[in-house]
């Protein structure tokens, strides 16, 4: 893993939200592409909503303040559900960037809600992400169907194992 990364978590700005909408993941990961910014604004969706953006979303920036990823810290009773995105050109680089990102986000989730369990959802076919999450200390605890922008799909719920990893 690249331990020299100087990534930090900051409040996601509107301009960074616009940048996220321009990211383009290749197939089959294109399901993670956000709608165009104008559509997000029209629908007051996710990080286009200023309240949701400031309460739940964060940007991951490097030492030059370049956007490298984002996170959502979605509050559920007793749980913080992570939503995670790494800039497309950094995905699958084989340098441990995803694992570094997840560990950074777990630390932030624990800081925000120390008593909460931490979990995330991942499409069952996304083996690359599942391996990354497992290396960062998550375990598959459930599998279920839920709707996506392209129809129904199978997801794993993965929970961070605090006792094993801290």
């Amino acid at each position: 893993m690249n331990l020299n990364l100087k990534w930090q978590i900051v409040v996601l700005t509107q301009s960074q939200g616009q940048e996220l909408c321009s990211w383009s993941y290749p197939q089959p990961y294109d399901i993670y592409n956000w709608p165009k910014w104008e559509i997000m604004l029209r629908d007051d969706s996710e990080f286009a909503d200023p309240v949701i953006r400031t309460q739940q979303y964060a940007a991951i920036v490097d030492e030059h303040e370049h956007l490298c990823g984002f996170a959502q810290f979605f509050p559920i009773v007793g749980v913080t559900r992570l939503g995670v995105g790494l800039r497309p050109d950094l995905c699958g680089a084989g340098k441990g960037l995803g694992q570094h990102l997840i560990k950074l986000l777990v630390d932030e989730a624990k800081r925000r809600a120390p008593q909460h369990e931490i979990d995330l959802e991942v499409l069952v076919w996304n083996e690359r992400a599942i391996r990354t999450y497992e290396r960062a200390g998550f375990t598959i605890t459930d599998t279920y169907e839920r709707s996506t922008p392209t129809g129904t799909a199978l997801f794993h719920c993965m929970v961070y194992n605090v006792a094993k990893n801290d």
Side-chain angles (χ1 to χ4, degrees):
M1 180 176 4
N2 183 346
L3 299 176
N4 295 322
L5 291 174
K6 293 185 172 78
W7 286 355
Q8 61 179 332
I9 298 173
V10 297
V11 174
L12 181 72
T13 66
Q14 180 173 324
S15 63
Q16 289 166 329
Q18 288 174 288
E19 184 177 340
L20 291 176
C21 291
S22 72
W23 288 2
S24 181
Y25 295 94
Q27 289 187 349
Y29 305 102
D30 57 337
I31 192 170
Y32 300 116
N33 291 341
W34 290 99
K36 293 182 188 286
W37 179 248
E38 297 75 27
I39 294 170
M40 300 273 293
L41 278 177
R42 180 195 71 208
D43 297 342
D44 212 18
S45 179
E46 297 292 337
F47 48 80
D49 178 319
V51 174
I52 292 173
R53 184 174 57 247
T54 57
Q55 290 180 353
Q56 296 181 20
Y57 280 89
I60 290 75
V61 296
D62 65 15
E63 65 272 18
H64 306 291
E65 297 188 22
H66 296 130
L67 186 62
C68 298
F70 73 92
Q72 182 181 22
F73 299 92
F74 186 78
I76 303 172
V77 176
V79 177
T80 299
R81 174 153 295 158
L82 295 180
V84 180
L86 188 60
R87 199 174 65 218
D89 64 306
L90 299 176
C91 293
K95 297 180 180 175
L97 299 178
Q99 187 177 350
H100 178 75
L101 174 62
I102 298 304
K103 287 185 182 267
L104 184 69
L105 299 182
V106 163
D107 289 345
E108 178 66 10
K110 289 190 292 188
R111 186 191 69 74
R112 289 177 180 222
Q115 303 305 316
H116 279 198
E117 179 177 86
I118 301 166
D119 76 6
L120 52 79
E121 294 178 313
V122 59
L123 286 157
V124 297
W125 57 259
N126 193 344
E127 294 176 12
R128 181 174 74 186
I130 292 167
R131 282 190 309 271
T132 297
Y133 301 147
E134 287 174 335
R135 287 183 192 124
F138 285 80
T139 303
I140 296 170
T141 58
D142 196 11
T143 302
Y144 45 84
E145 277 191 358
R146 75 171 186 80
S147 60
T148 73
T150 60
T152 303
L154 273 177
F155 284 80
H156 291 309
C157 179
M158 299 184 74
V159 176
Y160 183 73
N161 187 335
V162 175
K164 182 178 168 187
N165 296 291
D166 290 346

